[in-house]
């Protein structure tokens, strides 16, 4: 009986969205190379640069909230810091899909977000730092050279939401608060570095905008288009493989809600929703539809429809991941995400990729 109840709930989600989770068309087209530079320029100027600036701004607000908390510990100031954490998670989740360029240099990505922590190594390091006061974790200059797992969003989440975090409401939480402030300052530092790298007139942004034989990154327009499409495909794969399947693969009894990203703070689905919205935003603001022939442009609208549906369902899931598995209706929403996140990957990889001149079935994850 429980099986049929769950099946009915899943069907209830699928009925209003009849085109989801269907095989994609795999239309093969040719790339209009002349339009690629403008598409790349919009991706840089209208998505990447504003995205890193927003993350930097929110990290700065996070640092200010931590400073307030340390100076005036209270229930209210702790709630303010927790709210700021949710905002910086949201900001990062909207730009983290760009896993190319300066963010992968110097382990910047891992310094901002070390996830998944499969062996719990990072968690143990953070717990050890909190158990025995260590002045080197309370200054950004010394924290930034420590383990990447100790200096980013995962560490800050444990400081604010993990075991013993209630001490932050009192003066006795001074050391823990100072560690959190240093993490926030480090996040702002990393954001500023990324913003500066993409703002530099002769740096990575210029390379993205001007593919050609003398370009250090893209020898031609096809390589540039492939990079941008790869960002979208990898983002969709990450949502499914590292965000959803990290804790749920379709079997309730085998679910591991405490392995979900940001489960302590209740930001799991806020982050996943922001990831999906980032895919939609990059696809739209870059104007990739212009790289498709007129007859193939419906590929973009159908892809956006799938992404928008995923975003809507994700945003409607309870923040408490553990509680999700106590509610069949919530589990049905997770099943919807699992099923249709695969559809999103296929539409981006096969339909959009094929439509702009890559062979249908091209797999970015295989490195082809």
């Amino acid at each position: 009986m429980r099986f049929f109840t769950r099946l009915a709930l899943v069907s209830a989600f699928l009925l209003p969205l009849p085109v989801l989770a269907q095989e994609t068309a795999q239309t093969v087209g040719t790339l209009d190379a002349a339009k690629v530079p403008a598409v790349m320029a919009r991706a840089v100027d209208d998505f990447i640069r504003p995205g890193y600036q927003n993350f930097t701004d929110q990290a700065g607000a996070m640092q200010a909230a931590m400073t307030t908390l340390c100076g005036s510990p209270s229930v209210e100031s702790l709630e303010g810091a927790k709210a700021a954490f949710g905002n910086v998670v949201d900001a990062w989740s909207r730009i983290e899909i760009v896993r190319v360029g300066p963010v992968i240099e110097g382990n910047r990505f891992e310094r901002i977000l070390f996830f998944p922590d499969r062996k719990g190594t990072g968690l143990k390091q953070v717990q050890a730092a909190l158990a025995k006061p260590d002045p080197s974790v309370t200054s950004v200059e010394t924290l930034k050279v420590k383990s990447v797992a100790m200096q980013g969003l995962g560490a800050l989440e444990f400081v604010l939401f993990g075991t013993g975090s209630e001490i932050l409401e009192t003066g006795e939480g001074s050391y823990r608060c100072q560690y959190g402030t240093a993490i926030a300052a480090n996040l702002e530092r990393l954001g500023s570095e990324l913003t500066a790298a993409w703002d530099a007139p002769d740096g990575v942004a210029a390379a993205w905008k001007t593919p050609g034989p003398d370009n250090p990154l893209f020898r031609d327009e096809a390589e540039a288009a492939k990079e941008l499409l790869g960002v979208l495909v990898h983002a969709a794969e990450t949502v499914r493989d590292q965000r959803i399947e990290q804790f749920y693969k379709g079997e309730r009894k085998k679910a591991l809600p405490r392995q979900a990203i940001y489960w302590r703070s209740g930001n799991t689905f806020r982050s996943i929703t922001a990831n999906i919205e980032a895919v939609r935003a990059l696809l739209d603001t870059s104007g990739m539809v212009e790289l498709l022939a007129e007859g193939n442009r419906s590929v973009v609208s159908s892809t956006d429809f799938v992404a928008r549906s995923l975003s809507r369902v994700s945003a409607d899931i309870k923040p408490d991941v553990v509680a999700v598995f106590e509610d069949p209706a919530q589990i049905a929403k997770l099943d919807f995400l699992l099923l249709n996140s695969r559809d999103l990957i296929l539409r981006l990889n096969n339909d959009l990729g094929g439509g702009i001149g890559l062979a249908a079935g091209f797999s970015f994850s295989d490195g082809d």
Side-chain angles (χ1 to χ4, degrees):
M1 180 63 71
R2 292 178 65 186
F3 169 80
F4 289 108
T5 300
R6 183 170 167 186
L7 181 62
L9 286 165
V10 175
S11 300
F13 277 103
L14 295 179
L15 285 174
L17 306 168
V19 305
L20 299 191
Q22 297 178 355
E23 291 298 319
T24 55
Q26 299 190 15
T27 302
V28 178
T30 56
L31 179 67
D32 188 342
K35 294 181 178 179
V36 171
V39 169
M40 299 298 286
R42 286 191 292 267
V44 170
D45 294 334
D46 299 338
F47 181 83
I48 297 175
R49 291 174 61 201
Y52 281 128
Q53 184 61 62
N54 182 43
F55 169 66
T56 305
D57 292 344
Q58 293 301 329
M62 180 77 251
Q63 184 181 2
M66 290 304 300
T67 300
T68 297
L69 174 61
C70 295
S72 303
S74 66
V75 174
E76 292 74 19
S77 56
L78 177 56
E79 287 303 311
K82 288 181 175 181
F85 178 79
N87 291 338
V88 77
V89 163
D90 187 88
W92 172 245
S93 300
R94 292 177 186 275
I95 192 58
E96 71 168 314
I97 70 167
V98 181
R99 298 193 180 201
V100 295
V103 76
I104 62 173
E105 298 169 1
N107 293 321
R108 285 192 182 102
F109 190 98
E110 291 77 15
R111 292 178 191 280
I112 295 172
L113 178 62
F114 181 74
F115 184 85
D117 181 10
R118 292 187 173 89
K119 296 182 179 180
T121 304
L123 175 60
K124 292 175 184 176
Q125 291 173 344
V126 173
Q127 290 173 325
L130 291 172
K132 184 178 181 180
D134 177 1
S136 67
V137 304
T138 62
S139 166
V140 68
E141 292 305 315
T142 46
L143 178 63
K144 70 181 184 181
V145 298
K146 290 186 176 294
S147 164
V148 296
M150 297 179 66
Q151 53 181 280
L153 290 168
L156 184 55
E157 182 185 39
F158 192 85
V159 167
L160 289 170
F161 298 89
T163 304
S165 59
E166 63 277 359
I167 198 175
L168 291 169
E169 298 174 0
T170 72
E172 296 179 5
S174 177
Y175 166 69
R176 187 175 185 130
C177 195
Q178 289 172 18
Y179 177 27
T181 303
I183 297 172
N186 189 55
L187 291 171
E188 184 180 28
R189 176 187 68 84
L190 290 163
S192 296
E193 289 181 0
L194 290 167
T195 297
W198 281 96
D199 285 350
D202 57 349
V204 63
W208 270 53
K209 296 176 183 180
T210 57
D214 298 325
N215 189 307
L217 297 181
F218 310 122
R219 291 168 297 179
D220 56 34
E221 289 79 5
E223 287 190 358
K226 174 184 172 182
E227 181 85 317
L228 185 57
L229 182 60
V231 169
L232 293 167
V233 174
H234 282 308
E237 289 175 337
T238 297
V239 167
R240 179 180 173 85
D241 300 341
Q242 293 187 18
R243 296 298 184 263
I244 303 170
E245 290 195 337
Q246 175 67 20
F247 68 95
Y248 179 66
K249 296 184 179 181
E251 296 183 54
R252 178 181 180 181
K253 292 182 178 179
K254 294 184 179 181
L256 300 168
R258 287 182 173 84
Q259 288 191 12
I261 193 169
Y262 307 124
W263 70 269
R264 288 184 177 84
S265 61
N267 282 296
T268 300
F269 297 105
R270 181 176 182 179
S271 176
I272 291 173
T273 302
N275 288 159
I276 299 167
E277 284 298 306
V279 171
R280 294 186 63 210
L282 180 55
L283 185 58
D284 178 54
T285 59
S286 66
M288 285 190 76
V289 67
E290 295 181 8
L291 301 182
L292 294 161
E294 289 287 346
N296 291 344
R297 291 188 173 184
S298 62
V299 164
V300 172
S301 59
S302 64
T303 301
D304 180 73
F305 177 77
V306 174
R308 187 171 68 251
S309 300
L310 285 166
S311 176
R312 175 176 59 81
V313 172
S314 177
D316 197 41
I317 299 179
K318 294 177 180 179
D320 185 342
V321 187
V322 175
V324 164
F325 292 98
E326 300 170 359
D327 184 346
Q330 294 287 301
I331 296 173
K333 293 175 185 179
L334 279 178
D335 289 333
F336 180 92
L337 295 184
L338 270 179
L339 179 65
N340 291 291
S341 58
R342 179 179 180 274
D343 188 25
L344 179 62
I345 296 168
L346 291 175
R347 288 179 186 275
L348 289 167
N349 196 53
N350 296 351
D351 293 358
L352 185 58
I356 64 175
L358 295 174
F362 179 92
S363 176
F364 286 91
S365 57
D366 292 338
D368 293 343

